[in-house]
């Protein structure tokens, strides 16, 4: 057997105290490395360990168009327009929100007919009306507007004849609209009835 010209290495004749000192030193190095990681790396590791999905924060979500900044195609003979209700939502599935607005003339009294309009806005452009769902010429009052899952819904209150006082609609219909292809398709049902395509 050939003997080494080098002196014996310290770890070849280690005692328990040497192993304990080595383990303690390694634990200290690992702990120190964990503390010195950048915050982003710590947050990413933590999120992936717990199965949490985080959204990229550099691009803020687009805001829905403000219907107060739109002139609606509604002839009010100088009386002004009132946005009675509005609801935002992504109606066409493009990732950008639209706004559905219920608008009527600013009448001093009575119940002016409502119009329901879809408002959109391209980046940097002014909001504009892209669809009329209920025309004021239909002489309906619109209540209960909602947008959920890309579907617009509202209750339409109307009159069976010209003899019915404008304060007291005697017909009610629940209507909904969904974007299909290149147009809004309407489904409707009498209050409490089953839906039909319109």
């Amino acid at each position: 057997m050939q003997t080494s010209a080098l002196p014996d290495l310290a770890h070849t004749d280690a005692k328990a105290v040497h192993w304990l000192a080595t383990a303690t030193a390694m634990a200290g190095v690992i702990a120190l490395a964990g503390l010195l990681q950048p915050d982003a790396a710590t947050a990413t590791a933590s999120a992936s360990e717990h199965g949490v999905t985080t959204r990229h924060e550099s691009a803020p979500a687009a805001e829905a168009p403000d219907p107060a900044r739109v002139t609606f195609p509604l002839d009010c003979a100088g009386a002004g327009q009132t946005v009675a209700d509005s609801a935002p939502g992504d109606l066409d599935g493009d990732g950008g929100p639209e706004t559905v607005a219920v608008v009527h003339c600013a009448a001093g009294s009575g119940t002016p007919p409502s119009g329901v309009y879809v408002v959109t806005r391209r980046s940097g452009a002014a909001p504009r009306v892209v669809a009329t769902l209920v025309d004021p010429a239909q002489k309906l009052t619109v209540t209960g507007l909602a947008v959920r899952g890309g579907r617009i819904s509202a209750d339409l209150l109307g009159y069976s004849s010209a003899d019915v006082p404008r304060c007291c609609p005697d017909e009610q219909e629940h209507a909904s609209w969904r974007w299909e292809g290149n147009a809004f398709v309407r489904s409707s049902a009498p209050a409490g009835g089953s839906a039909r395509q319109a």
Side-chain angles (χ1 to χ4, degrees):
M1 177 170 150
Q2 185 176 4
T3 59
S4 171
L6 298 172
D8 288 338
L9 298 174
H11 70 274
T12 59
D13 190 25
K15 297 189 183 331
V17 89
H18 292 118
W19 286 112
L20 184 59
T22 302
T24 303
M26 289 301 295
V29 168
I30 291 170
L32 185 61
L35 292 174
L36 296 178
Q37 287 185 359
D39 289 340
T42 305
T44 303
S46 175
S48 63
E49 287 169 6
H50 299 293
V52 175
T53 305
T54 57
R55 193 166 45 112
H56 189 57
E57 296 297 330
S58 65
E63 286 187 26
D66 181 1
R69 296 183 54 216
V70 177
T71 300
F72 292 92
L74 183 61
D75 182 14
C76 294
Q81 301 177 347
T82 299
V83 177
D85 199 359
S86 65
D90 181 6
L91 303 175
D92 56 5
D94 68 352
E98 289 79 30
T99 299
V100 182
V102 177
V103 185
H104 60 74
C105 292
S109 61
T111 308
S114 303
V116 178
Y117 304 97
V118 177
V119 178
T120 190
R121 179 184 62 205
R122 289 190 178 162
S123 179
R128 63 188 179 93
V129 174
V130 293
T132 299
L133 304 179
V134 174
D135 192 307
Q138 295 174 271
K139 301 194 183 309
L140 298 171
T141 300
V142 179
T143 63
L145 177 70
V147 175
R148 289 185 191 91
R151 181 178 294 275
I152 306 159
S153 63
D155 290 321
L156 310 179
L157 308 177
Y159 308 92
S160 59
S161 74
D163 296 331
V164 176
R166 298 296 102 174
C167 67
C168 311
D170 62 342
E171 294 184 335
Q172 182 176 0
E173 176 184 4
H174 183 75
S176 63
W177 297 262
R178 182 177 286 281
W179 181 257
E180 293 182 12
N182 59 356
F184 285 99
V185 176
R186 177 177 162 179
S187 300
S188 61
S194 59
R196 66 178 191 275
Q197 291 291 111

